[in-house]
Amino acid sequence: MNTPDAAAERGTEEPGIDFIYRGWHFRYGAQRTGPGVYRPVVVCLGRGHGAEEKETLPNDTDEIAYATEAEALRHAEQQAMRWVHDRTGDGQGQL
């Protein structure tokens, strides 16, 4: 049986929080990879609200395991913002 809890145990749930930053649309979440271990996941859906390109952002740090879901979610949002800054030449000073 494939329940949400079983998916969380395997770390296969889809990211589900929508986030638009400077015209870029992202969906992010935190995959549970073990007991008390979460990994941030960010998918770029493209520019604009209706975009659906789907590019999973690569890990941006060696620290991809967080003790709480909230920490992983915070990192995922910041990762999306850095990704935009890296591609628009705005630098990271505005985070």
Side-chain angles (χ1 to χ4, degrees), residues 25 31-32 44 50 58 78 81 94:
H25 185 190
Q31 288 183 333
R32 186 174 174 189
C44 177
Q78 291 172 348
M81 293 167 67
Q94 298 179 23

Side-chain angles (χ1 to χ4, degrees), residues 6-78:
E9 290 298 322
R10 292 190 310 272
T12 58
E13 67 273 13
E14 288 290 319
I17 301 171
D18 285 328
F19 177 61
I20 296 176
Y21 183 71
R22 295 194 173 190
W24 288 89
H25 185 190
F26 297 91
R27 188 164 293 135
Y28 69 92
Q31 288 183 333
R32 186 174 174 189
T33 60
V37 180
Y38 296 87
R39 181 177 80 83
V41 177
V42 184
V43 177
C44 177
L45 301 175
R47 289 192 66 91
H49 184 67
E52 286 290 333
E53 292 176 21
K54 291 198 177 183
E55 173 188 347
T56 301
L57 274 55
N59 295 328
D60 66 343
T61 179
D62 290 337
E63 186 69 35
I64 61 167
Y66 294 89
T68 68
E69 183 178 20
E71 289 174 318
L73 291 173
R74 185 173 45 252
H75 179 87
E77 186 174 284
Q78 291 172 348

